[in-house]
Amino acid sequence: MKNENLNSSHITWHQSNIKKKNRQKLNGHKSIMIWFTGLSGSGKSTIANALQNELFNKGIHCYLLDGDNLRYGINRNLTFSDEDRKENIRRTAEVGKLFVDAGIVVLAALISPYEEDRKKARSLFEKDEFFEVYINCSLQECEKRDPKGLYKKARLGEISQFTGISQPYEEPKNPDIQINTTNLSVKESVQKILPYIFKKLDLKNARKKE
Ligand code: ADP
């Protein structure tokens, strides 16, 4: 394992005897990162949660990394500046990579507004291990929903650096799947994503939850 950015040249990668594929075999399915991107209020957390329920109920080992929740802990020192958003995504992707290495299906829900950062996140994973879901919803609709009252605050100037209002959102050019929540319900959205995920998981003996 090479890393040009290491601060010390005295660190050596120690190989684990138990490999990702051993853990995947034990779990009965492959492990992947499902990365949700989209405007605030587009439905990332809601759909990721609903998808997690479906996976869990099928006996799939999964875990949701929600951008807001991570800012309570590992990312608590980060702001919404461009630089900190980059770091927010880098850390989330790295944590996700550990989960995937541990054989878990990871769902990450973050605005992740910049193509470059999402590309970097994808680059941490093997081919076919990273699945990008673009939760596409018009700014107008997101602002109408405003589930956390953030758009109102952003319009009043009480929140600076707000994606869609005072910071850009770069639409994914090549998402693995695009879900338009202006037209689709949460249930319909999950049903649209599920077949793609099942195909990737190579399900063998995942147990159905009682
Ligand atoms: P995000 O994680 O993208 O910021 P949230 O999931 O927190 O968004 O909030 C989305 C809000 O929009 C929720 O209150 C949800 O109930 C509502 N909503 C309405 N229609 C939909 C839909 N079709 N898909 C997802 N969320 C929807």
Side-chain angles (χ1 to χ4, degrees):
M1 178 70 59
K2 238 175 98 186
N3 185 347
E4 276 94 31
N5 293 327
L6 275 179
N7 290 326
S8 168
S9 54
H10 307 300
I11 297 172
T12 308
W13 184 268
H14 194 94
Q15 203 65 44
S16 166
N17 290 335
I18 301 167
K19 305 280 188 291
K20 179 164 58 182
K21 63 174 186 308
N22 303 123
R23 299 179 195 277
Q24 293 179 338
K25 197 170 171 200
L26 182 69
N27 288 344
H29 56 78
K30 285 198 173 155
S31 48
I32 59 167
M33 162 61 90
I34 309 169
W35 189 278
F36 290 81
T37 174
L39 290 170
S40 175
S42 58
K44 299 179 297 299
S45 298
T46 306
I47 294 171
N49 247 296
L51 180 63
Q52 182 180 228
N53 283 348
E54 290 285 328
L55 296 175
F56 186 81
N57 288 335
K58 292 233 159 20
I60 293 165
H61 301 254
C62 51
Y63 195 79
L64 171 57
L65 297 173
D66 190 281
D68 276 358
N69 295 357
L70 295 181
R71 282 182 182 272
Y72 278 84
I74 190 169
N75 290 335
R76 70 181 310 149
N77 62 326
L78 300 178
T79 68
F80 289 88
S81 68
D82 284 352
E83 195 188 338
D84 278 4
R85 280 179 191 270
K86 263 185 203 312
E87 180 60 8
N88 183 43
I89 289 162
R90 190 192 70 78
R91 284 186 202 169
T92 308
E94 289 283 3
V95 170
K97 188 181 172 178
L98 294 176
F99 273 81
V100 169
D101 196 47
I104 310 290
V105 174
V106 189
L107 304 97
L110 290 94
I111 297 173
S112 40
Y114 300 118
E115 181 76 23
E116 187 195 348
D117 299 336
R118 294 190 299 260
K119 227 165 124 182
K120 273 193 186 151
R122 183 188 283 271
S123 73
L124 293 180
F125 295 84
E126 287 175 26
K127 197 174 169 287
D128 282 341
E129 238 180 35
F130 188 95
F131 189 80
E132 186 179 65
V133 182
Y134 173 28
I135 302 294
N136 188 352
C137 183
S138 68
L139 178 63
Q140 197 189 15
E141 174 64 21
C142 290
E143 201 163 352
K144 203 170 93 192
R145 291 180 188 166
D146 205 6
K148 298 161 213 155
L150 299 177
Y151 282 98
K152 196 169 169 211
K153 286 188 181 162
R155 289 289 184 198
L156 291 169
E158 290 170 17
I159 304 175
S160 58
Q161 303 176 320
F162 196 77
T163 303
I165 307 292
S166 46
Q167 279 185 338
Y169 177 79
E170 296 174 1
E171 289 196 307
K173 291 194 186 84
N174 271 313
D176 294 289
I177 191 168
Q178 185 167 166
I179 300 291
N180 192 322
T181 62
T182 319
N183 309 322
L184 293 180
S185 69
V186 176
K187 205 171 167 188
E188 286 168 336
S189 302
V190 170
Q191 291 310 316
K192 194 172 167 190
I193 302 168
L194 264 178
Y196 290 87
I197 303 302
F198 285 152
K199 217 165 129 187
K200 287 211 165 272
L201 295 186
D202 195 13
L203 286 172
K204 291 214 170 66
N205 53 353
R207 288 172 306 279
K208 197 165 167 51
K209 279 265 166 215
E210 294 309 314

